[in-house]
Amino acid sequence: MLKPHVLKELAQIVGPANLFTDAEEMIVYSYDATRLASLPWAVARPASAQEVSGILLLANRERFPVVPRGAGTGMSGGSVPSSGGLVLSFERMNRILEIDELNRTAVVEPGVITGDLQREVEARGLFYPPDPASHQFCTLGGNVAECAGGLRAVKYGVTRDYVLGLEVVLPTGEIIETGARTLKSVAGYDLTRLLIGSEGTLGVVTKIIVKLLPLPESVRTLSAFFPDVTSAAQAVARIMAGAIVPRALELIDGGAIRAVENYLKQDISHGSGAMLLVEVDGPAAATLIEIETFERICRETGAVTVTRAADKAEQDQLWKIRRSISPALYTIKPRKINEDIVVPPSRVPDIIAEVQEIARRYGLLIVTFGHAGDGNIHVNILIEEEERPNAAEAVKEVFAAVLRMQGSISGEHGIGLSKAAYLPMEVGKHALDAMKKIKRALDPNNILNPGKIFISAE
Ligand code: 2HG
Ligand code: ZN
């Protein structure tokens, strides 16, 4: 609990209207998309880096945890205040500060919704490629904290590939600027990259400079239905070994299709076992040849139906289906354990087969879907509470298989709370120790988002 004099000082920093302690408000800021939850002691809505700095100085003096939070759409518990403390919510810092059309950069505050920035820049013929499935709700601050990926990562990369620089408040309260506005800069350590994906444990981002691209002239999308997930996975491996990189290549297995059909009350696949969504972008003449190539590969690898979206409305409809999978799966079973593994694309068929085998052996309902083009498969284990021990064993086996295939246990959701126990499996003792040393050096009092990434900070 925060002492009355601390609450008084917090109210002086952010203004009394931006400090909450009511029980109802605490519930709203207690959970993220994992449905893990823990109540904070208070919530503050700062309006500037100076206010964040004042809060962190106070937190170090009085020793209370501070947990930065975007829109709470995270998938690993990163913004859940698991040790209580003060949640910093960025809904007031939600301005696009600048769009520099000449140099193709934008400067934003952390509370800007990703989809709002995408729309704003597209209206000017520019393009912000990172595209998490939750783009209509998630914030850029959260995207930076987790290094969010999304649907277009296969061609364009992830959040870290578009962030040129940051304004950050360090855990001990100092305000720093990292990176530059230019495409190149090697002035000292790359603090920008260190902070991106640090899950709110090393600093609080208060400004983000992003790189933009020219908006591609044309976009074409196709959907292909396969008898089973094995043949769809073969198509993925073949596409990714070829000369053309699609801008999205998403795989949806039969279980995920059925979940979305129920959720949207719509027949999507006429009973097929898997679906691929493939999208290309670029000059119109090139994308025509590219989409034809992908149609052919899908047919050759066993697709029963291959359909090209006729217009923007049909494209939007396909992406609505894809973006509805995650919410749809919550309606099937009370517990959804979502893993976020990534393997080299040529191993997608192998990991899918391995996951199916693990599901069979443990008698678990496992659904797989996701960004198959970059090998990032969302393995969702849908369980009743009593199946939890079995699911934990299955997860360990899935991770062991991923690491054997030279993959990673998290492609884009982060470690947070849900994967902290497994991180040593991937990074090993010495790398883990190096990470903890960085954390202790920047946050000696373990104020900022304690309990995340590492089971123990010692
Ligand atoms: C997506 O790609 C998200 O839809 C969520 O990353 C994945 O719920 C999930 O497992
Ligand atoms: Zn995803």
Side-chain angles (χ1 to χ4, degrees):
M1 282 299 136
L2 294 172
K3 300 195 186 95
H5 76 274
V6 174
L7 288 171
K8 203 168 147 215
E9 277 191 59
L10 285 170
Q12 276 160 2
I13 295 170
V14 290
N18 296 303
L19 181 70
F20 309 106
T21 50
D22 324 344
E24 295 81 4
E25 289 285 352
M26 295 310 101
I27 293 170
V28 174
Y29 293 93
S30 66
Y31 59 89
D32 74 353
T34 56
R35 310 266 163 115
L36 293 167
S38 171
L39 292 173
W41 304 336
V43 175
R45 298 191 312 178
S48 67
Q50 284 67 26
E51 290 185 9
V52 173
S53 168
I55 291 169
L56 285 167
L57 288 171
L58 181 63
N60 276 277
R61 197 186 79 205
E62 299 289 336
R63 301 286 151 89
F64 58 86
V66 175
V67 182
R69 179 184 180 86
T73 58
M75 290 272 168
S76 58
S79 62
V80 175
S82 52
S83 316
L86 177 73
V87 162
L88 286 190
S89 179
F90 288 91
E91 55 240 70
R92 292 173 74 212
M93 293 180 68
N94 64 349
R95 288 170 306 162
I96 297 176
L97 298 171
E98 191 186 326
I99 297 175
D100 178 345
E101 295 183 37
L102 279 183
N103 296 302
R104 288 202 282 262
T105 54
V107 183
V108 301
E109 291 184 319
V112 170
I113 305 289
T114 309
D116 289 347
L117 176 67
Q118 289 171 335
R119 265 186 298 279
E120 275 300 317
V121 303
E122 281 170 28
R124 294 162 159 81
L126 296 169
F127 184 37
Y128 178 69
D131 191 35
S134 55
H135 69 160
Q136 300 292 19
F137 327 101
C138 61
T139 63
L140 285 153
N143 293 174
V144 168
E146 299 297 328
C147 190
L151 308 179
R152 301 195 285 235
V154 57
K155 177 168 177 181
Y156 289 105
V158 297
T159 303
R160 75 162 75 84
D161 300 306
Y162 293 86
V163 177
L164 297 173
L166 298 168
E167 178 188 78
V168 178
V169 186
L170 293 176
T172 39
E174 302 85 352
I175 303 173
I176 63 164
E177 287 183 359
T178 73
R181 281 183 178 237
T182 46
L183 290 183
K184 290 174 164 179
S185 164
V186 286
Y189 289 155
D190 190 344
L191 295 180
T192 313
R193 280 218 163 197
L194 175 64
L195 284 151
I196 297 172
S198 66
E199 307 192 26
T201 64
L202 298 181
V204 180
V205 171
T206 47
K207 215 180 270 177
I208 308 162
I209 306 168
V210 297
K211 166 176 101 173
L212 305 169
L213 299 181
L215 189 63
E217 175 192 307
S218 83
V219 176
R220 296 182 206 268
T221 316
L222 69 81
S223 58
F225 293 95
F226 292 78
D228 50 45
V229 70
T230 311
S231 47
Q234 298 293 353
V236 169
R238 252 194 72 187
I239 288 174
M240 291 314 295
I244 308 160
V245 182
R247 85 157 177 181
L249 175 49
E250 293 286 320
L251 180 144
I252 309 171
D253 80 359
I257 297 174
R258 244 51 80 210
V260 181
E261 286 179 328
N262 269 334
Y263 183 70
L264 296 178
K265 307 266 171 293
Q266 176 186 339
D267 180 15
I268 295 164
S269 72
H270 312 290
S272 66
M275 176 178 183
L276 283 189
L277 289 172
V278 194
E279 189 161 90
V280 294
D281 66 3
T287 55
L288 189 58
I289 298 167
E290 291 177 359
I291 206 79
E292 282 167 1
T293 307
F294 291 145
E295 283 171 350
R296 185 170 40 73
I297 294 177
C298 287
R299 288 214 174 81
E300 285 170 7
T301 44
V304 187
T305 329
V306 182
T307 315
R308 207 180 297 174
D311 51 27
K312 172 91 171 65
E314 283 191 20
Q315 288 173 329
D316 289 348
Q317 179 54 27
L318 290 174
W319 293 119
K320 180 175 169 203
I321 290 169
R322 167 60 187 86
R323 291 182 200 272
S324 301
I325 299 173
S326 193
L329 290 174
Y330 280 108
T331 61
I332 295 188
K333 288 255 186 168
R335 309 270 175 274
K336 169 181 178 299
I337 300 178
N338 71 286
E339 299 306 343
D340 166 41
I341 55 165
V342 54
V343 293
S346 67
R347 306 304 302 268
V348 167
D350 302 333
I351 194 67
I352 297 271
E354 188 95 31
V355 169
Q356 283 181 332
E357 164 56 23
I358 292 168
R360 196 192 50 72
R361 209 153 8 91
Y362 285 92
L364 291 166
L365 175 58
I366 304 189
V367 168
T368 46
F369 67 98
H371 321 297
D374 52 43
N376 184 195
I377 307 289
H378 298 316
V379 174
N380 275 234
I381 312 182
L382 306 172
I383 58 166
E384 305 289 342
E385 194 49 44
E386 61 273 17
E387 293 175 294
R388 205 174 271 286
N390 252 0
E393 286 305 310
V395 166
K396 245 188 259 163
E397 288 204 29
V398 171
F399 286 169
V402 164
L403 296 175
R404 273 197 309 277
M405 293 178 197
Q406 298 181 308
S408 171
I409 64 171
S410 181
E412 60 177 13
H413 294 165
I415 299 298
L417 291 173
S418 53
K419 298 191 200 79
Y422 305 102
L423 181 62
M425 273 176 87
E426 176 164 341
V427 301
K429 180 180 178 335
H430 296 311
L432 200 65
D433 283 350
M435 291 183 197
K436 289 181 181 180
K437 278 185 197 155
I438 293 171
K439 169 68 175 165
R440 282 198 295 270
L442 291 177
D443 189 6
N445 297 320
N446 201 18
I447 293 298
L448 207 51
N449 214 4
K452 308 298 165 64
I453 305 181
F454 316 111
I455 287 285
S456 120
E458 301 307 310

